[in-house]
Amino acid sequence: MPRAWAGFQQWPIRHKLLAMVLLPLVVVLPLLGLVLLVWGNAALDRLLITKVRSDLAVAQGYFDRVQGEVAASTGAVADSQALYAALAGAGSHDQAALRQLLLRFLQRERLDFINLRSADGRLLLADFDGAGLAAGVAAPLPMGEAGRRTTATVAVLAPAQQGLLAPELRERVPVPLVATRNAQPTQRSHEDRAMVLQASAPVRDAGGRILAWVQAGLLLNHNLPFIDHINAIVYPEGALPFGSQGTATLFLDDVRISTNVRLFGGQAGGAQRAIGTRVSQAVRDAVLGRGSTWLDRAFVVNDWYVSAYAPLADAAGQRVGMLYVGYLEKPFTWLKYGVLAGIGAVFFAVMIAAALWSARWARQIFRPLEQMAQTMSEVQAGALGARVGAVRSGDEIGALAGHLDRLLGTIDDNTAALQRWNAELDAKVAQRTAALEGRTRELQAAQSQLLRSEKMAAVGQLTASIAHEVNNPIAVIQGNLDLVRELLGEAAQQVAPELKLVDQQIERMRLIVTQLLQFARPNDYAGYVEAVDAQRTLEDCMVLTGHLLARSGIQIERQYQASRRAGINRQELQQVLVNLMVNAIHAMPAGGRLTLSTDDWADAQGRPGVAIGVADTGPGLGEDLLRELFQPFVTRKKDGTGLGLWISRSLVERYGGDIVAGNRPAEQGSGAVLRVLLLSEPEAAATPAAG
């Protein structure tokens, strides 16, 4: 890039001006065109989705209307005076007359099936006379509630429940499955269930007593007039431009049981309906699996459609099928490509025309500039009397040429003054720059301290609340432990080690609570310091983490080489080491090697100390995590709080030490290494511990 820029600097003014004029046209205008193309493509796609969403709303509205009509027809039959008179008459019912009455209702209300049931749900009569109407045939559909308004619901009938359908209806039920691209794999070869719209209404006498139930409805399997009517409502003639075709489909589960989607080439001289084909698995999972509405492009049988699928649920709320509408995507795709190509052609033509016009007008600019450049070259060569002279341009460039001629006469006098002013300005700039850098460093330090203080205040409030809440159960545990000793008497000696361990852990809990209060009110507490054996403390921590190590399959490697003692509170050091060991164990869920080490160490001032290392063979620490590892609320564990390492480092820093984190060297494999650095002399840590 520097070489290219240096080459550009050597260009004549003519070439530079042409480049500056043409570069925006060659770069910016195509980028603008590209943005417009991308936006136009997305806008057209959103328009198509909006269109199919409204189409689905129309189809659902018609489907709901048909449900309402089925409910109204069933209620009308139940409220019929003729049916009431036939059922309320004395003596045995004339089944032939009743069946003829049902058939008249069936034709009048344009229903597919109708039957009568007793008040307790037993079958009394169907709309046909057949062997399937044995007394043991179960009710194909659930009965409604007598006190509720008659409503129609979607229901699915198993083969054993289809005996109440007339033979010509049962012939419409079976749907052979057709192998379909992208559908969910299945071992079935036929869909033998029936999907119906049904309603039930009670027939009451004058006193409101239920004499019988009327059940009626429509069979949706192979119901081509029904689906064609939906398609005609949603996509009437001329509703879709550019030769696109609208389609509608009813699904039982993921199988098309009624559709006007065509299988091209299925029959000689035409195309048959795609009944028996199945929806793609992606659509099935979204609509039937999650109950959501699909609004997107989808592969339907043999082509891509802009599609909308909505789930259909039965009376129990179970999703049993889908309602689909959509239209062929290809005509709109070609339209979209044509529009985008036209936009691109317009932009290209505008760019070419603008480039030619800009190049022509650029000549009127660079010619006077070339004259001025030539004059300056002559003056520089010693021809102080050289002038630009008259130029044909009467604009600002012509005025600039006149000004240049006038200025050349005073250049010698002004040069010295300019040099003096330049020196003074450089001195002032350097002075102001140094002052600004100092203020910037002070501001950064103040911001860093303010951020740390805000974090400490927030965590302090949290820890103070937790500490006060934990103190109460600790007191209860201690009191009950003392009561156990008193009640056991001499028998307490048998469990004395266990009770002593409980006492130690209660004391440790109290120390932890005290430490939490130290974070909340550090000036009210002061820790005590002792010379602690790092190796012994590590071994004590092994006891506290033994239950985790026992079930993790982790090997322990010890590398104790320290000859000094650490100046710190022993309980606080134990808390820090247990936290590091637990983190290392969690980093090796499948097992590994935990390395515990101690070494002599000295700080930058040469003061002696001890370094305690905890290393694992887990995945290690990434660069992003290393930068924020000791910040509060930073964790990669699902159930972690992100406070452990931050609290541990704060504890160690109060005693003049530090915790550093890193990864194993590459030749030793993966894993994290954390080292606790502590001073040896207790006196050196006493002042920080006091708070």
Side-chain angles (χ1 to χ4, degrees):
M1 185 64 184
R3 292 183 179 179
W5 178 251
F8 176 76
Q9 295 294 330
Q10 302 301 320
W11 286 7
I13 189 65
R14 178 193 301 266
H15 296 164
K16 288 181 181 179
L17 281 176
L18 287 175
M20 292 174 63
V21 170
L22 296 179
L23 185 61
L25 296 175
V26 175
V27 176
V28 176
L29 197 59
L31 286 178
L32 182 61
L34 180 61
V35 170
L36 183 59
L37 290 176
V38 173
W39 176 85
N41 182 58
L44 287 174
D45 289 342
R46 288 195 300 269
L47 185 62
L48 296 180
I49 295 301
T50 301
K51 160 68 176 169
V52 81
R53 180 188 288 111
S54 64
D55 295 342
L56 179 61
V58 174
Q60 286 180 313
Y62 177 73
F63 191 84
D64 294 341
R65 173 186 159 190
V66 173
Q67 281 187 283
E69 291 176 353
V70 170
S73 297
T74 305
V77 173
D79 295 338
S80 169
Q81 180 63 29
L83 180 60
Y84 169 74
L87 291 174
S92 61
H93 302 305
D94 185 349
Q95 291 202 358
L98 272 175
R99 182 172 289 112
Q100 290 299 321
L101 182 61
L102 291 181
L103 288 175
R104 289 201 303 273
F105 288 142
L106 191 72
Q107 295 175 359
R108 186 190 74 186
E109 302 297 338
R110 297 181 181 179
L111 299 171
D112 283 342
F113 64 89
I114 186 171
N115 61 75
L116 286 176
R117 293 186 171 274
S118 65
D120 58 0
R122 292 180 296 103
L123 177 66
L124 295 178
L125 188 66
D127 56 13
F128 70 100
D129 185 13
L133 298 177
V137 174
L141 305 167
M143 303 294 292
E145 296 183 15
R148 297 183 61 184
R149 181 173 60 87
T150 302
T151 57
T153 60
V154 178
V156 177
L157 306 183
Q161 298 174 303
Q162 297 170 14
L164 292 176
L165 299 177
E168 61 272 15
L169 293 179
R170 291 198 296 271
E171 292 177 358
R172 285 170 42 191
V173 171
V175 176
L177 299 188
V178 179
T180 309
R181 173 182 169 184
N182 298 330
Q184 185 181 38
T186 181
Q187 300 297 324
R188 297 186 304 159
S189 61
H190 287 74
E191 175 57 76
D192 54 5
R193 296 174 296 168
M195 177 182 283
V196 297
L197 280 177
Q198 70 89 25
S200 58
V203 181
R204 301 177 185 272
D205 60 12
R209 184 173 59 89
I210 297 177
L211 298 178
W213 286 85
V214 175
Q215 282 190 326
L218 295 174
L219 175 64
L220 300 180
N221 294 44
H222 288 90
N223 197 332
L224 302 184
F226 176 76
I227 202 65
D228 288 343
H229 192 58
I230 290 181
N231 190 71
I233 291 175
V234 178
Y235 301 112
E237 187 71 25
L240 294 174
F242 316 117
S244 181
Q245 299 176 2
T247 56
T249 300
L250 277 174
F251 288 86
L252 173 52
D253 195 13
D254 63 347
V255 180
R256 290 178 175 84
I257 60 172
S258 186
T259 182
N260 62 350
V261 178
R262 304 290 178 173
L263 282 175
F264 294 97
Q267 294 178 348
Q272 63 180 357
R273 300 194 185 227
I275 295 177
T277 57
R278 302 168 60 223
V279 77
S280 66
Q281 185 169 359
V283 176
R284 186 187 194 280
D285 293 341
V287 180
L288 295 179
R290 299 189 295 272
S292 59
T293 299
W294 176 281
L295 295 170
D296 204 345
R297 64 193 301 265
F299 191 83
V300 179
V301 181
N302 50 25
D303 212 336
W304 287 96
Y305 284 74
V306 181
S307 304
Y309 295 81
L312 296 178
D314 60 12
Q318 298 294 325
R319 292 184 287 275
V320 297
M322 295 179 287
L323 175 63
Y324 155 84
V325 292
Y327 50 87
L328 196 61
E329 182 190 42
K330 185 180 297 182
F332 292 95
T333 301
W334 285 114
L335 171 66
K336 177 172 63 176
Y337 290 159
V339 171
L340 297 180
I343 294 174
V346 169
F347 265 83
F348 184 75
V350 170
M351 183 181 68
I352 296 299
L356 295 175
W357 182 86
S358 299
R360 178 180 178 182
W361 282 94
R363 284 197 293 268
Q364 298 185 13
I365 299 175
F366 60 70
R367 285 178 180 174
L369 293 176
E370 287 177 343
Q371 288 179 307
M372 287 186 280
Q374 179 64 29
T375 301
M376 294 301 297
S377 298
E378 294 175 359
V379 171
Q380 185 178 7
L384 300 180
R387 296 294 183 266
V388 177
V391 296
R392 290 188 299 174
S393 176
D395 54 12
E396 290 83 353
I397 295 180
L400 179 61
H403 289 314
L404 179 61
D405 286 344
R406 290 191 294 271
L407 289 174
L408 286 176
T410 58
I411 287 178
D412 292 338
D413 297 336
N414 294 335
T415 300
L418 288 174
Q419 290 176 348
R420 183 177 66 256
W421 295 339
N422 185 55
E424 293 175 357
L425 181 61
D426 287 343
K428 290 182 179 180
V429 168
Q431 182 181 1
R432 297 292 177 84
T433 301
L436 182 60
E437 289 177 351
R439 295 292 180 86
T440 302
R441 287 193 295 270
E442 293 175 2
L443 179 59
Q444 290 175 345
Q447 288 177 337
S448 177
Q449 182 62 32
L450 178 60
L451 180 60
R452 181 177 179 87
S453 299
E454 289 178 349
K455 290 183 178 179
M456 287 291 291
V459 177
Q461 292 176 0
L462 177 63
T463 53
S465 176
I466 295 173
H468 286 297
E469 291 296 330
V470 173
N471 267 331
N472 292 332
I474 290 176
V476 173
I477 294 172
Q478 184 65 65
N480 282 276
L481 185 61
D482 294 339
L483 180 61
V484 168
R485 284 196 181 94
E486 182 179 346
L487 294 176
L488 291 178
E490 294 297 331
Q493 296 300 322
Q494 299 179 5
V495 291
E498 288 76 7
L499 295 178
K500 181 179 180 181
L501 181 59
V502 175
D503 282 331
Q504 292 174 349
Q505 295 309 309
I506 291 175
E507 180 62 23
R508 180 166 174 257
M509 292 169 65
R510 284 176 176 164
L511 285 174
I512 292 173
V513 171
T514 301
Q515 292 159 9
L516 289 175
L517 291 175
Q518 287 177 354
F519 289 112
R521 303 192 300 272
N523 294 328
D524 296 344
Y525 293 86
Y528 59 91
V529 183
E530 57 183 316
V532 178
D533 187 338
Q535 291 90 328
R536 180 178 177 184
T537 305
L538 281 172
E539 293 300 322
D540 291 343
C541 293
M542 292 287 292
V543 177
L544 299 178
T545 58
H547 65 289
L548 295 176
L549 293 168
R551 62 172 182 262
S552 62
I554 295 176
Q555 300 178 357
I556 307 300
E557 180 179 342
R558 297 173 174 83
Q559 298 177 2
Y560 299 153
Q561 300 178 2
S563 60
R564 303 168 183 164
R565 293 177 177 266
I568 192 173
N569 180 278
R570 185 177 182 278
Q571 295 293 335
E572 292 183 348
L573 177 59
Q574 188 180 56
Q575 175 185 344
V576 171
L577 295 179
V578 166
N579 183 51
L580 297 183
M581 293 170 67
V582 169
N583 287 345
I585 292 170
H586 287 167
M588 300 181 290
R593 183 174 72 257
L594 177 64
T595 303
L596 306 177
S597 63
T598 62
D599 296 285
D600 291 337
W601 165 78
D603 66 0
Q605 290 76 31
R607 294 180 295 181
V610 179
I612 305 173
V614 178
D616 59 64
T617 56
L621 303 172
E623 293 183 3
D624 294 340
L625 186 59
L626 274 174
R627 286 194 297 267
E628 302 178 352
L629 186 62
F630 294 102
Q631 297 295 321
F633 309 115
V634 174
T635 180
R636 62 182 180 185
K637 295 188 290 187
K638 293 182 179 179
D639 55 351
T641 64
L643 294 174
L645 288 177
W646 183 74
I647 291 176
S648 298
R649 192 180 202 183
S650 299
L651 288 174
V652 173
E653 286 178 345
R654 289 216 303 263
Y655 295 94
D658 196 6
I659 301 179
V660 296
N663 291 307
R664 289 177 179 267
E667 59 272 12
Q668 297 182 10
S670 63
V673 179
L674 284 93
R675 300 180 73 227
V676 182
L677 307 177
L678 297 167
L679 296 175
S680 293
E681 296 299 329
E683 293 77 13
T687 300

